């Protein structure tokens, strides 16, 4: 085992925590729920669906998944305790109310009384979009369509989540809302630790809240989306099919470890290091995970912690239960820990999302609370909904174990744990925790020493309730040391309030007697005796907090509520003669309404280009689902990719309704132009999205078209020559005679080369080939990749591939892996049998391609100048920024690639 070396900021103690979770009213119930393997995700009743605003038709829809993890009593709040008027309480997003409540309870759990003596305390808070504002307040008779007044704005905007806590509790440290999507609350912990290290604060509150209203509406399942098909989150499992929405709140109190030890704080765990970064553009789409970014973040947190990686025995993963996301995450996690020499043998992994769903902005701190409690109790909860590992995990090659029963670690102590949280949009957070240091024994007080027992409350009723709860808590307290610690916690860790009761005690019996006197109606005395009280070395202990009396504060929506954007009523099938008439059938208008709803814009014209309007493949999944439901026709993503304008979409749907839809030609129009069409062959995987992106940065004249891989398995050729022959047949169907203009990116360049050979053999003229970073045939010779190895390499492919804007799960569901493997197999079995009589213009990436992917696919990197040996003409090479994949990245790379492409195709017409 490697030696630990100090690095990064100083250690930070978790000294308090509070939370509200599905099925658990506090962190104690939450831990009990986890250790017994309970699942709080549940099926909503028809009545609950109706109360959520769903019609009978919506509730019974085939794509409606009536599951979720709701938070009990989200409409309740003790407005009086927190000094909030009933009107403002009704207007305030329950997220703000519950976070305020949990922040107070976390301070009580930490024994930290806010005020001048506590020093500066910071607040770092994360929240989700205020759906209460959208679904309730603005849809009520009182506030419908009203401008956002200050009371409404202050009660619902995320900007005021943290600052309200600081104002209500008198906290003077930095106070800020932190928004990085799903990683927000762990990012908040990172910022809090940094503020502590800089000395800006003596303590910090950090956490998050996420509650979506209505809570019991379930959701509409969308193929290619991230939500589960069956309403359960099956992290790491072979049946994993997505996540489920959860609702909840978590808050922790943090202090520098040295201060926590000096103050006698109860320490759950110690945060030894954290890190936050962003994937940047090094991933396949804005919403896709970025394994390289995740790995870098984990490595940075480990380095900052100084904790040996082989001491980490448990990792609370981000773990959303998606078939692609989990393998990508575990691949990055394994690589990071192996690089650092660990993790511990038999390191356990889990994800709380299987128990309570995905808590969005509160997910990270919830994982931190679980990991801290695992260290505190020396027990790792079981991972539910797991029976057989997802084959894409390559579980046998990972240094992790998924526990299916609770694992007690008291015999072999769990030294360290870690937490990952990755946000949609690419902000990654990782934290490394250690078990709390062993508590040193404290000397007993001098016999007969008396200690002040101070109770304080908002009113008489609350004081009595506090005394009763404390009496139950100290029923077994014996000895002067126990009385000292209880008195010390009450004296230093509770705020002074208007109504008080004070007495002194030297033993457990005297402590209970003093409380009994109060409960029996004794006189209230809130003044401390005049002497100066000292406790000597003492520890804070867990004691009941101030009782709260929550009441319902709620604005109910009066307007009908829908779970999804409204779309027009379905269109019945029409006779062929009527359907053929585009004018007056209303179909085009309905298509435009669907596009406007999903794109969030109006006045879309019939000939507007979907991609020019900002559409991408991720959004296309939703639009295709809406069009299927609206028109009750079969339509898939591959077909939609060919339909660029509302007019074209309407034409396709109209033909389907009339029963006359024809098979697509296999050629996709990228852009119109002047002169002969340049045909581009798709890269491995069969997608043509990159050519749309290239065309957006190209100003050349020739029209562009792309060849699509055949979706019918019966039409998928067995050799690259057969595929080239199929594509030659397609383009000759459009353009019977040459000269032909061909090109392609990567695999597409190899196919275009073989097409050129076949066309020349048929006596046709082919102009120069335009290749975008295409490997030479020699690179593929030898080293077959079987299906198992290719599947194991799929996460690495997704990480490296420049399929911008494409959802990984959608790619998997559409058979992308199978097509990519098929295309790669064609390359491995191909070598040209003659030379091309012409020139090649090669747009070559300046940076070398990563070796990991090349090794996984048995590709040998060779100098691309070897293309000269395969042609009789001239090879012209133009270098473009980036590597094989990042050459399509937004900004300078794709802009310069577009300019280089223009130079290459300008040669067709003798232009420069």
């Amino acid at each position: 085992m490697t030696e630990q070396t100090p690095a990064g900021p100083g250690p930070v103690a978790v000294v308090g925590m509070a939370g509200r979770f599905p099925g658990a009213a506090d962190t104690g119930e939450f831990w009990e729920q986890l250790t017994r393997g309970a699942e709080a995700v549940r099926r909503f009743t028809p009545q609950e669906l109706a109360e959520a605003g769903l019609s009978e038709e919506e509730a019974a829809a085939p794509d409606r998944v009536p599951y979720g993890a709701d938070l009990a009593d989200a409409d309740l709040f003790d407005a009086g305790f927190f000094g909030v008027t009933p009107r403002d309480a009704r207007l305030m997003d329950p997220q703000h109310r519950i976070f305020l409540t949990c922040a107070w309870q976390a301070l009580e759990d930490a024994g930290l009384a806010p005020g001048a003596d506590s020093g500066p305390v910071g607040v770092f808070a994360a929240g989700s979009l205020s759906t209460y504002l959208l679904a309730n307040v603005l849809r009520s008779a009182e506030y419908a369509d009203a401008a956002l007044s200050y009371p409404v704005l202050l009660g619902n905007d995320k900007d005021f989540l943290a600052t309200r806590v600081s104002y209500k509790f008198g906290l003077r440290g930095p106070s800020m809302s932190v928004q990085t999507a799903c990683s927000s609350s762990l990012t908040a912990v990172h910022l809090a630790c940094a503020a502590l290290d800089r000395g800006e604060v003596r303590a910090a509150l950090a956490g998050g809240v996420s509650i979506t209203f209505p809570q019991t509406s379930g959701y509409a399942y969308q193929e290619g989306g991230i939500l589960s098909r069956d309403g359960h989150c099956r992290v790491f499992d072979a049946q994993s099919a997505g996540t489920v929405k959860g609702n909840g709140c978590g808050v922790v109190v943090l202090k520098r470890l040295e201060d926590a030890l000096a103050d006698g704080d109860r320490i759950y765990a110690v945060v030894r290091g954290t890190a936050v970064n962003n994937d940047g553009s090094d991933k396949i789409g804005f919403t896709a995970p970025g394994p390289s970014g995740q790995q870098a973040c984990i490595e940075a947190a480990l380095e900052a912690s100084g904790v040996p990686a082989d001491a980490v025995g448990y990792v609370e993963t981000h773990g959303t239960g998606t078939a692609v996301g989990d393998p990508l995450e575990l691949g990055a996690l394994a690589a990071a820990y192996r690089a650092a020499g660990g993790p511990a043998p038999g390191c356990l992994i889990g994800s709380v999302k299987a128990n309570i769903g995905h808590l969005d902005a509160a997910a990270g701190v919830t994982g931190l609370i679980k990991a801290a409690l695992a260290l505190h109790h020396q027990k790792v909860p079981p991972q539910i909904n797991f029976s057989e590992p997802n084959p894409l995990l390559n579980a046998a090659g990972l240094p992790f174990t998924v526990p299916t029963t609770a694992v007690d670690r008291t015999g072999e102590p769990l030294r360290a744990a870690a937490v990952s949280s990755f946000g949609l949009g690419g902000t990654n957070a990782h934290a490394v925790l250690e078990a709390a240091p062993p508590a040193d024994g404290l000397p007993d007080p001098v016999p007969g020493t008396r200690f002040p027992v101070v109770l304080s409350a908002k009113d008489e009723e609350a004081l009595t309730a506090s005394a009763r709860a404390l009496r139950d808590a100290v029923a077994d307290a014996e000895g002067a040391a126990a009385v000292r610690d209880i008195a010390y916690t009450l004296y230093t860790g509770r705020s002074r309030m208007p109504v008080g009761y004070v007495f002194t005690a030297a033993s457990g019996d005297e402590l209970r007697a003093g409380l009994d006197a109060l409960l029996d109606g004794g006189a209230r005395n809130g003044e401390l005796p005049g002497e100066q009280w000292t406790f000597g070395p003492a520890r804070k202990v867990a004691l009941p907090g101030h009782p709260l009396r929550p009441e319902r504060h709620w604005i109910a929506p009066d307007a009908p509520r829908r779970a999804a954007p409204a779309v027009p009523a379905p269109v019945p099938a029409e006779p062929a003669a009527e359907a053929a008439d585009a004018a007056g059938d209303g179909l085009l208008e309905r298509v435009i309404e669907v596009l406007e709803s999903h794109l969030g814009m109006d006045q879309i014209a019939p000939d507007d280009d979907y991609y020019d309007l900002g559409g991408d493949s991720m959004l296309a999944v939703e639009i295709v689902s809406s069009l299927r439901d609206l028109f009750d026709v079969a339509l898939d993503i591959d077909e939609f990719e060919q339909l660029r304008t509302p007019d074209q979409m309407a034409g396709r749907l109209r033909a389907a309704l009339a029963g006359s839809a024809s098979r697509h030609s296999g050629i996709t129009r990228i852009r119109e132009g002047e002169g002969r069409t340049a045909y581009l062959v798709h890269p491995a995987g069969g997608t043509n999205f990159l050519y749309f992106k290239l065309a957006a940065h190209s100003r050349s004249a020739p029209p562009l078209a792309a060849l699509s891989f055949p979706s019918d398995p019966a039409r998928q050729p067995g050799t690259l020559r057969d595929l080239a022959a199929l594509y030659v047949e397609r383009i000759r169907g459009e353009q019977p005679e040459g000269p032909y203009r061909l090109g392609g990116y990567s695999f597409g360049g190899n196919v275009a080369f073989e097409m050129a050979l076949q066309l020349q053999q048929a006596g046709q003229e082919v102009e120069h080939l335009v290749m975008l970073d295409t490997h030479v045939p020699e690179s593929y010779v030898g080293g077959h990749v079987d299906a198992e190895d290719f599947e194991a390499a799929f996460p690495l492919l997704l990480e490296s591939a420049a399929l911008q804007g494409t959802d990984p799960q959608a790619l998997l569901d559409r058979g992308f892996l199978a097509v990519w493997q098929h295309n790669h197999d064609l390359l491995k079995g191909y070598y040209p049998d003659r030379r091309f009589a012409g020139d090649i213009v090669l747009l070559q990436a300046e940076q070398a391609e990563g070796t990991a992917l090349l090794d996984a696919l048995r590709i040998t990197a060779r100098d691309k100048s070897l293309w000269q040996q395969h042609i009789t003409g001239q090879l012209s090479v133009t270098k473009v920024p980036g590597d094989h994949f990042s050459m399509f990245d937004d900004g300078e790379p794709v802009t310069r690639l577009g300019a280089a492409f223009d130079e290459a195709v300008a040669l067709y017409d003798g232009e420069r």
Side-chain angles (χ1 to χ4, degrees):
M1 183 175 292
T2 58
E3 293 297 321
Q4 178 173 324
T5 57
V12 171
V14 181
V15 297
M17 59 175 63
R20 294 266 303 277
F21 307 99
D26 54 41
T27 55
E29 291 185 5
F30 177 56
W31 180 247
E32 188 274 334
Q33 176 189 55
L34 295 180
T35 53
R36 64 183 171 87
E39 182 179 16
V41 177
R42 67 185 184 90
R43 185 184 181 96
F44 302 128
T45 66
Q47 181 179 351
E48 288 174 317
L49 294 172
E51 290 173 350
L54 271 67
S55 67
E56 291 185 7
E57 292 75 16
E58 289 172 320
D63 62 349
R64 175 61 50 180
V65 182
Y67 282 82
D70 57 318
L71 186 69
D73 300 329
D75 55 344
L76 304 184
F77 177 57
D78 191 340
F81 178 82
F82 292 106
V84 178
T85 67
R87 185 203 69 157
D88 287 347
R90 290 177 68 246
L91 283 174
M92 191 185 299
D93 185 349
Q95 293 185 113
H96 290 234
R97 307 180 207 163
I98 289 175
F99 186 84
L100 182 65
T101 303
C102 287
W104 175 260
Q105 292 171 331
L107 289 173
E108 288 186 320
D109 187 59
L112 177 63
D117 295 338
S118 66
V121 177
V123 182
F124 303 84
S128 294
L129 174 73
S130 179
T131 52
Y132 179 71
L133 171 67
L134 301 177
N136 290 56
V137 177
L138 296 181
R139 305 189 91 163
S140 67
E142 186 177 359
Y143 295 97
D145 301 320
L148 288 178
S149 63
Y150 266 114
V152 174
L153 184 67
L154 294 175
N156 289 272
D157 196 285
K158 295 176 184 177
D159 284 1
F160 309 109
L161 179 64
T163 51
R164 176 175 286 105
V165 172
S166 297
Y167 171 70
K168 290 295 183 182
F169 303 163
L171 309 179
R172 297 184 177 274
S175 185
M176 62 185 72
S177 295
V178 181
Q179 301 304 146
T180 62
C182 322
S183 61
S184 294
S185 54
L186 196 59
T187 301
V189 170
H190 169 77
L191 294 175
C193 290
L196 284 161
D197 187 62
R198 291 192 298 267
E200 293 178 355
V201 296
R202 197 172 192 278
L205 284 157
V209 61
S210 179
I211 312 173
T212 301
F213 298 100
Q215 290 197 79
T216 61
S217 62
Y219 53 90
Y221 172 73
Q222 291 182 334
E223 185 178 352
I226 66 169
L227 294 174
S228 168
R229 293 186 184 93
D230 64 0
H232 297 280
C233 183
R234 306 179 189 279
V235 185
F236 315 134
D237 192 72
Q239 301 302 314
S240 59
T243 192
V244 179
K245 179 70 178 80
N247 299 276
C249 178
V251 183
V252 294
V253 180
L254 306 172
K255 277 187 175 180
R256 286 181 291 272
L257 178 60
E258 58 183 305
D259 292 337
L261 293 172
D263 294 341
D265 291 328
R266 184 166 48 108
I267 300 173
Y268 289 99
V270 178
V271 181
R272 293 303 303 250
T274 64
V276 169
N277 72 356
N278 192 276
D279 298 327
S281 60
D282 188 18
K283 54 182 180 176
I284 66 173
F286 176 68
T287 60
S292 59
Q294 293 175 11
Q295 180 178 340
C297 180
I298 295 167
E299 290 174 348
L302 277 169
E303 182 178 1
S305 73
V307 173
D310 56 8
V312 176
Y314 175 70
V315 180
E316 174 66 15
T317 68
H318 184 63
T320 57
T322 57
V324 174
D326 288 355
L328 289 175
E329 177 183 356
L330 293 195
L333 183 71
Y337 274 84
R338 280 171 170 156
C347 179
L348 303 174
I349 56 172
S351 172
V352 73
K353 294 178 181 65
N355 302 88
I356 60 172
H358 191 341
L359 265 56
D360 192 60
V365 73
T366 302
L368 180 80
I369 289 171
K370 177 185 173 184
L373 290 173
L375 288 166
H376 182 65
H377 294 288
Q378 285 296 301
K379 178 179 286 188
V380 176
Q383 184 61 37
I384 66 170
N385 297 340
F386 176 84
S387 56
E388 181 182 351
N390 179 347
L392 294 179
L393 290 176
N394 188 25
L398 293 175
F400 305 116
T401 300
V402 181
T404 54
T405 59
V407 179
D408 190 309
R409 293 297 301 265
T410 53
E412 183 181 356
L414 182 64
R415 293 176 52 196
V419 185
S420 288
S421 191
F422 307 130
L424 205 69
T427 293
N428 309 301
H430 191 75
V432 180
L433 286 67
E434 272 191 332
D440 296 330
L442 299 180
D444 288 337
V446 175
T449 302
R450 306 192 68 77
F451 298 100
V453 181
V454 182
L455 279 74
S456 187
K458 289 276 189 179
D459 53 41
E460 295 285 348
E461 182 183 348
L463 182 66
T464 300
S466 292
R468 185 173 294 110
L470 183 60
R471 179 64 174 80
D472 293 341
V474 301
D476 298 324
E478 297 296 341
V483 174
R484 174 200 62 202
D485 292 346
I486 292 167
Y488 174 68
T489 302
L490 292 171
Y491 187 84
T492 64
R494 293 291 186 269
S495 298
R496 300 290 184 266
M497 296 184 185
V499 180
Y501 179 72
V502 179
F503 64 94
T504 63
S507 67
D509 288 340
E510 290 187 359
L511 172 62
R512 287 183 285 273
L515 293 171
D516 289 339
L518 171 60
L519 294 172
D520 290 341
R524 270 59 169 167
N525 175 14
E527 297 296 324
L528 286 172
E531 63 261 39
Q532 187 70 29
W533 293 98
T534 58
F535 296 87
R539 287 202 183 91
K540 294 175 184 173
V541 292
L543 295 176
H546 192 284
L548 298 178
R549 298 189 288 265
E551 297 178 346
R552 191 169 196 258
H553 297 277
W554 195 250
I555 296 176
D558 293 291
R561 195 182 335 166
R562 297 183 66 86
V567 295
V571 179
E574 303 177 17
E578 294 180 14
D581 181 7
D585 66 0
L587 193 148
L588 174 61
E589 288 77 7
R590 287 179 168 87
V591 170
I592 289 175
E593 287 182 36
V594 171
L595 293 174
E596 289 178 344
S597 172
H598 287 280
L599 288 167
M601 59 180 61
D602 52 20
Q603 298 184 336
I604 293 178
D607 59 350
D608 281 345
D609 186 285
Y610 170 73
Y611 294 95
D612 290 344
L613 293 172
D616 57 27
S617 60
M618 189 78 167
L619 186 59
V621 172
E622 300 179 16
I623 294 174
V624 167
S625 295
S626 294
L627 293 175
R628 284 182 193 141
D629 296 342
L630 176 59
F631 296 102
D632 193 25
V633 297
L635 179 67
D636 61 30
I637 289 290
D638 290 323
E639 288 179 285
F640 185 81
E641 290 170 9
Q642 327 300 330
L643 306 173
R644 300 295 300 273
T645 69
D647 237 345
Q648 293 173 344
M649 297 173 196
R652 164 63 179 83
L653 294 167
R654 188 174 291 112
L657 289 169
S660 60
S662 60
R663 183 186 297 273
H664 188 265
S665 67
I667 298 177
T668 301
R669 290 291 148 192
I670 302 293
R671 83 164 173 225
E672 300 303 324
E674 301 175 359
R676 290 184 180 271
T677 299
Y679 294 96
L680 303 176
V681 183
H682 59 83
T687 62
N688 285 310
F689 293 117
L690 287 174
Y691 293 145
F692 290 111
K693 188 171 185 180
L694 174 65
H697 293 82
S698 167
R699 301 294 180 266
S700 53
L704 300 178
L707 289 150
S708 301
F709 188 75
S711 58
D712 182 358
R715 296 274 291 170
Q716 294 174 3
T719 69
L720 190 141
R721 287 188 175 87
D722 293 339
L723 182 64
L726 173 63
Y727 291 170
V728 165
E729 177 185 340
R730 286 182 180 176
I731 65 172
R732 295 199 73 177
E734 275 196 358
Q735 180 189 325
E737 300 293 330
Y740 292 98
R741 298 172 173 179
L742 305 176
Y745 164 54
S746 193
F747 166 82
N750 296 96
V751 178
F753 183 85
E754 175 59 28
M755 291 171 65
L757 296 183
Q758 294 184 17
L759 285 166
Q760 286 185 338
Q761 190 172 35
Q764 296 296 319
E765 179 184 354
V766 179
E767 300 189 50
H768 65 271
L769 301 178
V770 180
M771 292 184 173
L772 284 72
D773 209 52
T774 299
H775 285 294
V776 293
E778 288 80 1
S779 294
Y780 299 100
V781 174
H784 176 70
V785 183
D786 60 26
E788 184 177 348
D789 289 341
F790 206 98
E791 189 169 285
F794 187 49
L796 186 58
L797 296 174
L798 290 180
E799 175 188 356
S800 303
L803 296 170
Q804 300 297 330
T806 306
D807 174 44
Q809 185 62 48
L811 291 175
L812 194 66
D813 292 343
R814 289 165 50 201
F816 181 74
L817 172 62
V819 175
W820 199 331
Q821 181 178 356
H822 174 275
N823 294 171
H824 185 72
D825 288 345
L826 298 188
L827 282 171
K828 298 294 285 185
Y830 172 73
Y831 196 85
D833 57 2
R834 55 192 178 281
R835 293 197 293 171
F836 169 59
D839 301 334
I840 288 179
V841 177
L842 175 66
L843 308 184
Q844 182 176 346
E846 291 178 342
Q847 300 172 16
E849 188 175 350
T851 58
L853 179 58
L854 293 176
D855 291 345
L857 298 181
R858 313 292 194 272
I859 300 173
T860 305
R862 298 190 182 277
D863 192 331
K864 293 183 176 67
S865 65
L866 288 174
W867 274 115
Q868 183 63 67
Q869 300 179 11
H870 295 279
I871 61 177
T872 61
Q874 178 181 357
L875 173 68
S876 299
V877 179
T878 300
K879 295 293 184 71
V880 293
D883 60 23
H884 186 71
F885 302 107
S886 63
M887 60 193 284
F888 286 91
D889 282 358
D890 290 329
E892 182 185 6
V894 74
T895 300
R896 287 182 53 185
L897 177 62
F901 182 78
D902 288 347
E903 290 283 324
V905 298
L907 296 174
Y908 287 138
D909 298 311
E911 302 173 1
R912 292 295 292 193

